Structures are given as C-alpha cells and as structure tokens.
C-alpha cells in the first residue's frame, strides 16, 4: 500500500528521518522498534500527513500522498491510534465512535450506533457505551480508541506506542485486541516497545536508530539473528 | 435621625424608580447585543490570530493594540461623534453631500462590543491553545477537516474552560454600560443625572443608582458562579 523512497524529515537543522525507504504491503503487520528519539513517531506521522516530509517520496497505492491524493481520503483509509488515546472527553464512548462515521462518512445515526456496538463488543466494552471517557481506565480508553479508528472501516491502522501510557496490568487487554485485529487480516504499522508482541504478531520488524532504518526483516531474523551491532546492542538492553 | 429627616428617599423613589426601570431595559439590550458582538468578534480575532497567514495575524495584532491602548470612553465618543463626521467629510470630498449619524445606542453597542471583543479574544485564544493538540490530531486522522476539528472538537472544549471568565466579562460589561451615558444613551446614569439636576435630590438619586447596579450585578455574578460550579461537578 505504501512505498516510501528516500524519505527525509528535518525540523530546522535537526534531521529526524534520513533516507528512509521501505514498503508496506496490504494486510501486513509491521512493527517498528528502536530507542526513543530515533524517529519512529515521525515516520508514522509522515504516512498520514500529520507531519510533512521535507524530502523523498511516499506513494499510497501508487499515488504521491503529497501531491496526488486528497489528505482526508488518505486519513479515512489509514486510521491512527495514539499513545495517549485522545478520546473526545465531551462525548460518550458511543459518540466518540459514531462521530466520524456520521460526520465524515455520512452514515445514518442508527447504522453508526449499530456498528459502534459491534465494535465495542469486539473490544470487550459493550457495557461502557454510555460512559464518558474519564470514567474509564487507560486500557479501556485505548480499546475505545481502537474501536473509534475501526469505525471508519480503514484499510490499515497506525499505532504509535499504544500501550506505553498504560499501567502494566492493563497492557495485555490492549495487545489482545491488536492480536485479534492482526489475525483478522488488518494491516498495521505498530511502533512499540512490546518486544513479545513484535516477535509474535509481526510479519516484519523494522529497527530504527538515529533517523535511519538500521535493519529490517522477519521477527525471527531480527530477534534471533540480528546482523547489525546497533540492533544487537538495542535488543540486549530491552530483552 | 436628623440625617434621614433631611433626605427624601420616598419622594425620589416615586419619581426615579419608574425611570430606572425603563433604563434597565436599555442596559439589558446594550449588554446582550454588546456581548454577542464581543463574543463573535472575540472568536474571529482569536481564530484569525491562530492563522498561518502572517498579514492576518499582523493586522489583528495592530487592531488589538489600538483598542487596548485607548480607553473605552474615548472609543465610544469617537464612534458616536467622530466617525460620522469623518464619513461625511470623506463623502464631501468625493462630491456627495451626506448627513450620516449613528443612533446613540447603536454606537454604544458597537463601541462596547469591539472593546470587549478585543479583550475576550485573548482569553478565547489562550483557551483554544490550551486544548491538547492530540484532540485536533485525533479529529484529523478520522478524516475531519481542519475547521471541523477546530469548531466541533477543539472550541467546544475550550469554551467549557472559559465560561467563568466570559461570565466575569459579562458582569463588567453590565457596569460599563454606564459609560454609554456619555454618548447620550438613556441608560441608568444619564437618567439619574437628569433627575438629580432637576430635583436636587442628588444623594437620594445616586444612592438609588448604585443600588440599581447592585441589583443587577450581584445576582448575575452568583448565577455565573453557579454555572461554573455546575460545569465543574459535571
Ligand atoms: N515538532 C518537532 N519539532 C522539533 N523536533 C521534533 C519535533 N517532533 C519530534 N522532534 C524530534 O525528532 C526526533 C525524533 O522524534 P520521534 O519521531 O518522536 O522519535 P521516537 O518516536 O522514535 O521517540 C527527536 O529528537 C525529537 O526531539
Ligand atoms: Mg514516539
């Protein structure tokens, strides 16, 4: 779906992404790992134009996302889940999920609500439909955020450290939902520090450091036989 | 009580209070329209100053400096007396003969609305900026447009946080409508001045005037505290 060529991103003089080239296939689960500050979030955010690249090209189904594609259309098809959930606090859980389908996709209220209930059931929170987000635990909020993204019927989801803001005992519930999504064939790009998840679920793992893709390959290759010394060093620290 | 026997509160009340009651109507009208104008203008300025276009930000900043650097009373007088003169002069230069005038209440509402709009725009701008950027991003990644995200997601959250300070501006505005007396708006102060100069019941008249403002502003500020409390507990 995404072909990235020589992507580069600078903030002023600070080069955050350097010469990133990669491909993301339909239905593929790609995990991006690496030390903090290595540019993982920025890469993800360039894919849905939350950040504007300063060099290189990104194609989405063959179309240059900068020039040939309607940004809103791209974002409808490529959903995103944030580290800090970012649920809308003034809406109930149900309305958080139905809002975009109704206002962006012009879905009828009853259809949107039916869809929302199905998705809430899927993430195990059907009983929370009428609750406001503040009343939920972090893990529950993140599962609602996933349901909200799914309600747009995306082709792919981007996750930026979806479990990093959670208490350790709540991480499992969110990862379980994500594993189920992967099993259902949803394409996902996941920036994560959960190495167990990356090893178990991903088709491909990408290791980034200092703005470069240092190494990529199957989970088996990256976790069991990393070639690059920087990868080895990083994994030695986190595993 | 020697003092009270020299004052004529009952007599003053009989004549002044009906007049003050009709003055209330003027105050309420000026406040409602002035405040609506101020909110709309405040929003427009606040959003304009968040614009990516530098010229828009620059012009709005200059306008704010102009308004905040001059007293409200001077602005009112300027709008009521000077602006029509300027317009007529300008028309005259272009060869038309005009006699533009601005109704005093209209001038008052415009003046007070612009002045308060400028101050309120700063509060509104700060409140928009204080909403977590993640809210805008969450809206954008769901496919909402920039303005939809601003108006439907960010501003509703911003407004919740500024209702108390907007309320304070409302109470201040009620009291500041007394300045409209200087542009011939027949509000409470002007009515009282006229009454006092005709009857010489100066002490009585201005005491009633002060009470009249208290009767409006104390319940209003309590109402605002109540709304604030309700918002907090929800
Ligand atoms: N808006 C920004 N302005 C300036 N520098 C930024 C901005 N966003 C990120 N950076 C910098 O870019 C680098 C990479 O950031 P990020 O992509 O968030 O890394 P990661 O997600 O891998 O931790 C960091 O050094 C960070 O400080
Ligand atoms: Mg990050």
């Amino acid at each position: 779906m995404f072909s990235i060529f020589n992507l580069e991103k600078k903030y002023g003089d600070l080069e955050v992404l350097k010469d990133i080239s990669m491909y993301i296939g339909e239905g593929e689960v790609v995990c991006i790992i690496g030390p903090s500050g290595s540019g993982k979030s920025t890469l993800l955010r360039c894919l849905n134009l939350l950040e504007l690249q300063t060099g290189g090209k990104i194609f989405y189904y063959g179309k240059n996302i900068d020039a040939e594609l309607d940004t809103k259309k791209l974002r409808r098809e490529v959903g995103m889940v944030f580290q800090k959930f970012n649920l809308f606090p003034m809406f109930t859980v149900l309305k958080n999920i139905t809002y975009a389908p109704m206002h962006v996709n012009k879905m009828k209220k009853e259809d949107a609500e039916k869809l929302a209930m199905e998705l809430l059931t899927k993430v195990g929170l059907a009983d929370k439909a009428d609750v406001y987000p503040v009343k939920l635990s972090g893990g529950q909020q993140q599962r609602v955020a996933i349901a909200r993204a799914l309600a747009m019927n995306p082709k792919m989801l981007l996750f930026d450290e979806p479990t990093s803001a959670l208490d350790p005992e709540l991480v499992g519930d969110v990862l379980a939902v994500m594993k189920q999504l992967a099993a259902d064939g949803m394409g996902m790009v996941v920036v994560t520090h959960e190495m167990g998840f990356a090893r178990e679920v991903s088709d491909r793992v990408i290791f980034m450091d200092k703005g470069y893709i240092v190494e990529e390959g199957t989970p088996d290759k990256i976790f069991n036989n990393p070639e690059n010394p920087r990868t080895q060093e990083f994994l030695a620290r986190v595993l | 009580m020697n003092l009270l026997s020299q004052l004529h509160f009952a007599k003053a009340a009989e004549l002044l209070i009906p007049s003050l009651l009709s003055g209330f109507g003027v105050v309420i009208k000026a406040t409602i329209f002035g405040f609506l104008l101020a909110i709309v203008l405040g929003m427009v300025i606040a959003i304009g100053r968040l614009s990516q276009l530098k010229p828009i930000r620059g012009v709005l900043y200059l306008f704010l400096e102009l308004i905040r650097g001059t007293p409200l009373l001077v602005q009112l007088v300027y709008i009521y007396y000077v602006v029509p003169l300027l317009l007529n002069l300008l028309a005259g230069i272009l060869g038309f003969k005009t006699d533009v005038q601005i109704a005093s209440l209209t001038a008052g509402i415009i003046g007070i609305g612009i002045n308060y709009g400028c101050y309120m725009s700063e509060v509104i701008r700060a409140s928009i900026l204080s909403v977590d950027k993640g809210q805008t991003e969450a809206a954008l990644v769901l496919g909402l447009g920039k303005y939809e995200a601003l108006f439907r997601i960010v501003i509703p959250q911003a407004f919740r946080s500024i209702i108390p300070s907007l309320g304070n501006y409302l109470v201040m505005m009620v009291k500041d409508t007394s300045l409209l007396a200087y542009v011939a708006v027949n509000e409470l102060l002007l009515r009282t001045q006229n009454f006092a100069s005709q009857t010489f019941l100066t002490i009585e008249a201005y005491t009633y005037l002060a009470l009249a403002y208290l009767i409006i502003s104390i319940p209003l500020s309590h109402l605002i505290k109540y709304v604030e409390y309700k918002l907090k507990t929800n």
Side-chain angles (χ1 to χ4, degrees):
Chain A
M1 304 175 62
F2 279 106
S3 311
I4 304 168
F5 298 102
N6 312 105
L7 175 66
E8 186 187 284
K9 171 70 184 175
K10 287 186 197 169
Y11 292 108
D13 287 337
L14 181 68
E15 279 192 69
V16 175
L17 296 178
K18 301 165 207 167
D19 198 26
I20 300 277
S21 295
M22 64 184 279
Y23 176 79
I24 302 164
E26 205 158 328
E28 199 178 9
V29 178
V30 178
C31 282
I32 304 179
I33 61 172
S36 89
S38 56
K40 306 180 299 294
S41 299
T42 308
L43 171 58
L44 214 56
R45 293 161 59 86
C46 283
L47 294 180
N48 62 3
L49 292 159
L50 282 183
E51 300 290 346
L52 299 178
Q53 68 209 59
T54 49
K57 289 204 159 57
I58 303 178
F59 294 96
Y60 176 73
Y61 285 111
K63 292 201 164 137
N64 188 333
I65 65 166
D66 251 359
E68 297 172 309
L69 204 64
D70 177 25
T71 304
K72 283 195 213 168
K73 178 174 147 59
L74 172 70
R75 288 177 179 158
R76 283 200 302 272
E77 295 186 6
V78 180
M80 187 169 202
V81 174
F82 300 90
Q83 182 175 350
K84 282 160 71 195
F85 335 127
N86 297 338
L87 293 180
F88 304 131
M90 66 293 191
F91 294 162
T92 60
V93 162
L94 189 74
K95 193 163 175 196
N96 263 280
I97 301 173
T98 57
Y99 191 83
M102 284 171 59
H103 287 84
V104 180
N105 287 351
K106 309 290 173 208
M107 198 184 253
K108 272 191 279 171
K109 187 170 186 216
E110 45 185 354
D111 296 339
E113 289 185 347
K114 190 160 156 276
L115 171 66
M117 288 312 300
E118 283 168 16
L119 292 170
L120 279 174
T121 308
K122 190 168 175 173
V123 300
L125 292 169
D127 57 328
K128 302 291 185 192
D130 297 322
V131 167
Y132 285 88
V134 281
K135 303 273 183 201
L136 300 179
S137 74
Q140 292 171 329
Q141 289 192 48
Q142 193 60 299
R143 285 184 279 152
V144 173
I146 294 172
R148 177 175 71 174
L150 289 172
M152 292 300 286
N153 195 20
K155 292 198 163 89
M156 170 190 261
L157 286 179
L158 309 174
F159 292 85
D160 192 359
E161 300 197 27
T163 58
S164 294
L166 300 180
D167 293 334
E169 72 272 20
L170 302 175
V171 168
D173 290 341
V174 172
L175 291 182
V177 168
M178 293 170 63
K179 277 178 202 169
Q180 186 58 49
L181 283 180
D184 295 346
M186 172 66 73
M188 306 202 271
V189 181
V190 186
V191 172
T192 186
H193 293 297
E194 294 293 331
M195 297 304 151
F197 176 84
R199 190 196 286 258
E200 186 183 335
V201 180
S202 40
D203 298 313
R204 200 146 47 93
V205 177
I206 290 177
F207 172 66
M208 285 183 70
D209 191 20
K210 302 199 172 85
Y212 291 101
I213 292 182
V214 174
E215 189 165 355
E216 70 173 286
T218 62
D220 178 55
K221 171 177 175 260
I222 298 291
F223 288 107
N224 299 332
N225 302 297
E227 280 166 15
N228 192 293
R230 270 149 76 190
T231 319
Q232 292 163 1
E233 191 190 322
F234 173 75
L235 290 173
R237 256 190 299 130
V238 297
L239 287 179
Chain B
M1 281 286 286
N2 208 6
L3 177 67
L4 271 185
S5 67
Q6 290 188 31
L7 297 174
H8 305 87
F9 275 101
K11 187 178 157 207
E14 200 180 309
L15 296 167
L16 181 59
I17 286 179
S19 169
L20 288 184
L21 283 177
S22 14
F24 268 145
V26 178
V27 169
I28 289 169
K29 208 162 155 186
T31 306
I32 288 177
F33 286 107
F35 201 69
L36 285 178
L37 175 60
I39 290 223
V40 171
L41 189 69
M43 288 261 288
V44 169
I45 296 177
I47 291 166
R49 290 198 63 204
L50 296 170
S51 155
Q52 268 137 13
L53 298 175
K54 222 171 178 175
I56 292 185
R57 293 204 307 266
V59 167
L60 289 174
Y61 183 71
L62 277 181
F63 184 68
L64 280 190
E65 290 286 278
L66 189 76
I67 298 297
R68 286 184 303 189
T70 50
L72 173 56
L73 186 51
V74 172
Q75 290 160 14
L76 288 169
V77 169
Y78 205 90
I79 290 171
Y80 183 58
Y81 295 106
V82 181
V83 169
L85 287 178
L86 274 175
L87 290 176
N88 289 329
L89 189 68
L90 209 67
I93 291 171
L94 295 172
F96 302 102
K97 190 159 166 38
T98 56
D99 185 19
V100 175
Q101 285 184 9
I102 300 181
S104 55
L105 183 58
T106 309
I109 288 171
I110 292 174
I112 211 164
I114 290 179
N115 183 279
Y116 272 70
C118 285
Y119 285 99
M120 279 158 55
S121 77
E122 287 292 271
V123 180
I124 295 173
R125 190 169 82 102
S127 75
I128 291 176
L129 288 173
S130 75
V131 174
D132 187 351
K133 267 195 71 193
Q135 291 290 311
T136 307
E137 292 186 348
L140 292 179
V141 301
L142 287 167
L144 273 78
K146 201 165 83 174
Y147 291 102
E148 280 171 295
L150 180 64
F151 283 101
R152 296 187 188 243
I153 302 296
V154 175
I155 287 181
Q157 293 180 56
F159 262 83
R160 272 182 105 88
S161 69
I162 51 168
I163 284 178
S165 61
L166 291 189
N168 289 335
Y169 277 109
L170 184 66
V171 177
M172 276 164 58
M173 185 184 277
V174 171
K175 292 181 285 182
D176 272 350
T177 58
S178 61
L179 294 172
L180 303 193
Y182 290 89
V183 291
V185 174
N186 207 6
E187 47 62 76
L188 303 177
L189 175 59
L190 189 60
R191 284 167 191 265
T192 308
Q193 275 174 348
N194 289 338
F195 178 82
S197 62
Q198 283 159 18
T199 61
F200 300 105
L201 297 171
T202 308
I203 296 177
E204 296 86 341
Y206 284 99
T207 305
Y208 279 127
L209 175 65
L211 283 173
Y213 278 109
L214 288 173
I215 286 171
I216 313 180
S217 61
I218 290 179
L220 188 59
S221 52
H222 279 86
L223 178 71
I224 286 158
K225 284 217 184 81
Y226 176 76
V227 171
E228 190 180 345
Y229 167 78
K230 276 280 159 194
L231 277 175
K232 266 207 194 110
T233 49
N234 263 337

